[in-house]
Amino acid sequence: MRSLVGGALVAVFMAGCGANVTLDPVTIPAPLINPMPLSVAIRIPAEFEHYVHEDEVLGREKWRIDLGRSNAALFTQLFEFMFDDVTVLGPDDDASALSIDALIEPSIDAFEFSVPSQSKTEAYAVWIRYRLKIYDSGGTVYANWPLSAYGKSERFGLTGDEPLKRAAILAMRDAAALMIMNLDKSTAISALKDRPAVTVASSQSAGAAAQEEPPREKRPQLPKRREVALPPPGPVAGPAVLSMDGNEDESGENIPEGSSND
Amino acid sequence: MTKATYRSGTMLTAGFAALVLSGCITSRVEDAREGITGIEAGEAIVILAKSYHLGNETEDKYIRCIEDALSRGSRGLRVIPHRQFVDSLFPWFEPRTAPAETAGLPKLMQRPGVADRIAEQNVRYIVWLDGDTDRVAGGGSLSCAAGPGGGGCFGFAWWQNDADYNAAVWDLKGLDSAGSVTADVSGTSFLPALVVPIPLIARARAAACKGLADQLRDFIVDEPEV
């Protein structure tokens, strides 16, 4: 009994001192959607698979949030639900031998959170800003879509670990819901179905191709290519980025602001 | 004194203590009916919180309290736990995607699998909760001290909590709003201390839960008075 009381007191004192939070791989329910008839590969960058966020709240509470494999697990499950055929690639895997319509590479642009001592509420909140880069079968960046997800959990338990985990999981579910609703609307990925491979002759042509409006209408069915030339793993060289920022407001995102941890 | 008499006396004392040791509560529960309601055997209801993306802060424990209160007793309704329902219809009842008004219901029902999943669970009503419990005022002063010979507290503190909740009832049979029930409860708690603090707690949220659940049950089950 005495040890229980002691443990509770330690937990209460520790609650104001930050914490180490490690997320377990997230699972999402099977969504009620019709999968898109596309064959895609998803490449999980190393930093995406082992994302760790460290922050000091109000100069006092040190927080270390290890998202671990949760993001990779989420995106893998989600895309398996969203597309007819999905190949998961590691950071160093070569996609050039695959017969696919598109390659998707997710990343995290920013991670922020707030705790009750900051927000003066009873809530823990998490914001995650993801970025999806979509490459066409020619290896050109076809779309570049940033998306913001938000999760909030009220305070429960003796420490902030569990509510913060819950908020992070809800933010990931929010991202999944947003991608289900708006991935095609924001990136026109479905137009890549059976699109013929285009050899990128130079960075100039690649840039020009990427700056064009992505095709919105389905092209005539062409014989499926035998080989694709996809870019090597890692950052893509050149200016071939089609920013979808302008569409973000149309995407139905409704993310509260004021997420600074200062 | 027999064992039964002793037990009865203890219960009376406990009841009296609870009565004396509770703070002041004022409550108002109202409903506004927009259509005829009623529920058949086997039909279920679901209690959900309005989206926190829209600024709503309804507490999870309040939702569970309403679920428990509605499903208990001889007049208990069949209540599907909110997380089970949301998972079964993923992603269409997530905070971002859930319909904000009944006008969105026909489109929602056309999405693949949604109408079937709702029919499988035989859900007749969705109740959307909005609101929260806030501390709106407080004051007084209380200090405690402890030493080798003992300790004690002296002073007086008070605080007021307001629990304001609204329950919007959607009828999935007619894909329309059936009306709403509101509960506004204000509770003032006191903490006088003369060596030993004596908490007189007004449980505003619990009162709002009971009041709203009772009214909600009547609203859903009963036909309107003619």
Side-chain angles (χ1 to χ4, degrees):
Chain A
M1 180 66 188
R2 191 175 291 172
S3 62
L4 270 174
V5 172
L9 280 174
V10 169
V12 167
F13 283 120
M14 290 295 287
C17 305
N20 269 321
V21 178
T22 304
L23 254 69
D24 297 323
V26 173
T27 55
I28 54 169
L32 297 177
I33 52 171
N34 292 326
M36 284 187 252
L38 287 176
S39 174
V40 302
I42 169 172
R43 181 156 57 211
I44 309 286
E47 62 275 16
F48 187 75
E49 184 144 15
H50 304 288
Y51 189 87
V52 177
H53 178 79
E54 290 180 315
D55 209 342
E56 202 169 278
V57 174
L58 302 171
R60 292 196 307 269
E61 304 172 21
K62 286 186 178 170
W63 288 82
R64 183 178 188 277
I65 301 160
D66 183 354
L67 298 183
R69 286 216 71 250
S70 55
N71 276 305
L74 170 81
F75 278 73
T76 304
Q77 289 171 67
L78 178 66
F79 290 145
E80 282 173 352
F81 288 128
M82 286 182 71
F83 298 104
D84 270 351
D85 185 40
V86 176
T87 306
V88 182
L89 303 175
D92 300 322
D93 291 340
D94 183 12
S96 60
L98 297 173
S99 176
I100 51 176
D101 298 308
L103 172 73
I104 305 175
E105 190 174 88
S107 60
I108 294 178
D109 279 359
F111 181 99
E112 293 181 30
F113 69 96
S114 75
V115 297
S117 60
Q118 288 173 289
S119 60
K120 308 296 179 200
T121 67
E122 292 295 301
Y124 288 79
V126 166
W127 292 260
I128 308 176
R129 192 168 177 85
Y130 292 100
R131 184 173 293 276
L132 290 186
K133 280 187 180 169
I134 298 175
Y135 301 88
D136 66 12
S137 55
T140 308
V141 176
Y142 174 76
N144 184 350
W145 183 35
L147 58 142
S148 297
Y150 172 63
K152 189 172 93 170
S153 168
E154 66 201 74
R155 192 201 292 254
F156 64 89
L158 289 173
T159 68
D161 297 20
E162 292 304 318
L164 198 62
K165 271 188 202 176
R166 172 114 189 103
I169 290 168
L170 289 175
M172 290 182 192
R173 274 180 79 123
D174 190 43
L178 178 58
M179 282 185 271
I180 288 171
M181 275 202 315
N182 285 335
L183 177 65
D184 195 32
K185 204 186 292 178
S186 295
T187 68
I189 189 172
S190 60
L192 289 176
K193 171 73 177 162
D194 290 336
R195 202 167 86 146
V198 178
T199 306
V200 181
S202 66
S203 61
Q204 188 182 359
S205 61
Q211 283 163 20
E212 284 173 11
E213 185 69 16
R216 301 284 167 174
E217 292 173 11
K218 194 168 179 179
R219 296 188 170 196
Q221 293 277 321
L222 294 169
K224 209 162 185 171
R225 72 221 163 279
R226 296 184 186 281
E227 204 168 283
V228 292
L230 290 169
V236 178
V241 175
L242 173 65
S243 173
M244 304 301 287
D245 284 4
N247 285 346
E248 208 172 348
D249 288 340
E250 297 168 15
S251 67
E253 285 189 83
N254 186 10
I255 303 300
E257 293 179 349
S259 60
S260 170
N261 282 333
D262 294 334
Chain B
M1 183 183 282
T2 63
K3 197 173 177 182
T5 313
Y6 174 76
R7 190 178 298 155
S8 162
T10 310
M11 285 176 69
L12 270 175
T13 309
F16 181 73
L19 199 67
V20 170
L21 295 181
S22 62
C24 300
I25 284 192
T26 57
S27 74
R28 194 180 66 206
V29 182
E30 294 174 333
D31 64 47
R33 193 179 286 277
E34 294 173 25
I36 294 171
T37 53
I39 191 163
E40 291 170 20
E43 288 182 332
I45 68 167
V46 179
I47 314 293
L48 299 173
K50 275 196 176 175
S51 171
Y52 54 66
H53 281 206
L54 304 173
N56 182 37
E57 295 186 347
T58 303
E59 306 89 346
D60 212 41
K61 63 177 76 168
Y62 187 77
I63 301 173
R64 286 199 302 272
C65 178
I66 295 283
E67 287 178 343
D68 289 346
L70 282 173
S71 57
R72 258 201 318 258
S74 56
R75 294 176 66 216
L77 302 175
R78 189 173 150 250
V79 180
I80 293 178
H82 62 284
R83 287 192 182 169
Q84 178 187 318
F85 179 78
V86 169
D87 278 356
S88 72
L89 286 150
F90 184 77
W92 305 117
F93 281 88
E94 295 297 300
R96 180 186 293 274
T97 55
E101 46 196 35
T102 49
L105 281 175
K107 188 181 176 191
L108 175 70
M109 290 298 194
Q110 285 168 5
R111 293 194 183 278
V114 170
D116 290 344
R117 197 60 61 87
I118 286 174
E120 277 168 23
Q121 299 177 83
N122 206 4
V123 176
R124 171 72 190 274
Y125 295 101
I126 294 178
V127 178
W128 291 100
L129 293 179
D130 191 0
D132 60 355
T133 301
D134 280 328
R135 179 163 299 182
V136 293
S141 150
L142 185 75
S143 58
C144 297
C153 298
F154 185 79
F156 177 80
W158 67 274
W159 62 93
Q160 183 186 337
N161 285 347
D162 279 3
D164 297 333
Y165 294 93
N166 176 276
V169 183
W170 290 7
D171 186 350
L172 294 186
K173 210 171 193 176
L175 301 183
D176 208 354
S177 170
S180 64
V181 179
T182 58
D184 294 338
V185 176
S186 180
T188 307
S189 302
F190 306 101
L191 185 60
L194 193 61
V195 182
V196 178
I198 303 166
L200 308 168
I201 306 295
R203 302 187 186 283
R205 182 159 57 199
C209 169
K210 186 176 183 316
L212 190 82
D214 288 347
Q215 190 75 12
L216 204 49
R217 182 190 285 113
D218 290 345
F219 182 90
I220 287 173
V221 173
D222 293 343
E223 292 293 328
E225 291 176 14
V226 181

